[in-house]
Amino acid sequence: MRSGLLVDESGIDRVKGKLRRCPWAERAYRHLRILADGIFIRTRPSPETMSAIEAAAMVYALTGERGYAERSEALLLASDGFAEIFGAVRSDTYDFGCNTLLTGHQLPHLCVAVDLLWDALSDRARTHAPEGLIRGAVHHLRTNDRRDSN
């Protein structure tokens, strides 16, 4: 991965402009910050952490507040693999493919978060996120027979 692969600077600048001009955008941003602040109370990777990491990456991209990037990096590095940070669906929830569907849902969120954080990440995190988290999720999606009902 590289910085700006999914979200470029012009997109971030457009959002910043809306935050200055549009009351609805300011209200949405306050909600985003509340979600992002969840990274400071979470100690272990979890599906809730993934949502907070993505929100924190957005806040970091908009404000440059390094605390959001640093805490997000720590949580990403604490994740042994994509299943830990994406979570799993209980086996009695659906008939088949539930973890594959969950992975397919969560993977784009992780990719956007890593893209937004890329310039702030250490070399270790720049290796771990794509190789230890993203590649495993992609492999799961490409090789799973969609009958992974736990």
Side-chain angles (χ1 to χ4, degrees):
M1 292 194 72
R2 67 168 177 76
S3 178
L5 183 64
L6 302 173
V7 181
D8 64 13
E9 202 61 41
S10 67
I12 294 168
D13 288 341
R14 281 193 306 275
V15 172
K16 287 178 181 179
K18 287 185 191 246
L19 289 172
R20 286 189 297 273
R21 293 185 312 272
C22 304
W24 63 265
E26 184 184 334
R27 289 189 302 272
Y29 177 72
R30 283 195 307 265
H31 179 73
L32 179 69
R33 279 203 76 120
I34 290 167
L35 184 58
D37 287 344
I39 64 166
F40 297 110
I41 59 171
R42 307 227 187 276
T43 59
R44 297 192 36 81
S46 71
E48 295 81 17
T49 305
M50 184 62 247
S51 296
I53 289 171
E54 183 181 28
M58 290 177 197
V59 169
Y60 168 72
L62 293 169
T63 67
E65 293 179 47
R66 292 211 38 95
Y68 288 96
E70 292 165 359
R71 184 66 184 139
S72 295
E73 177 176 344
L75 290 168
L76 289 171
L77 288 171
S79 302
D80 290 330
F82 75 93
E84 184 177 12
I85 199 164
F86 290 175
V89 179
R90 289 190 343 256
S91 62
D92 61 348
T93 306
Y94 296 103
D95 289 344
F96 73 91
C98 41
N99 285 323
T100 298
L101 292 173
L102 181 64
T103 299
H105 173 76
Q106 292 279 45
L107 181 58
H109 298 280
L110 175 61
C111 291
V112 167
V114 170
D115 186 50
L116 290 170
L117 294 167
W118 190 260
D119 291 337
L121 295 176
S122 66
D123 289 342
R124 182 171 165 233
R126 286 183 179 188
T127 300
H128 178 68
E131 298 299 324
L133 302 175
I134 293 170
R135 187 176 303 269
V138 169
H139 179 74
H140 175 76
L141 291 174
R142 294 183 77 198
T143 60
N144 193 280
D145 67 3
R146 309 305 189 265
R147 295 188 126 340
D148 65 344
S149 62
N150 304 324

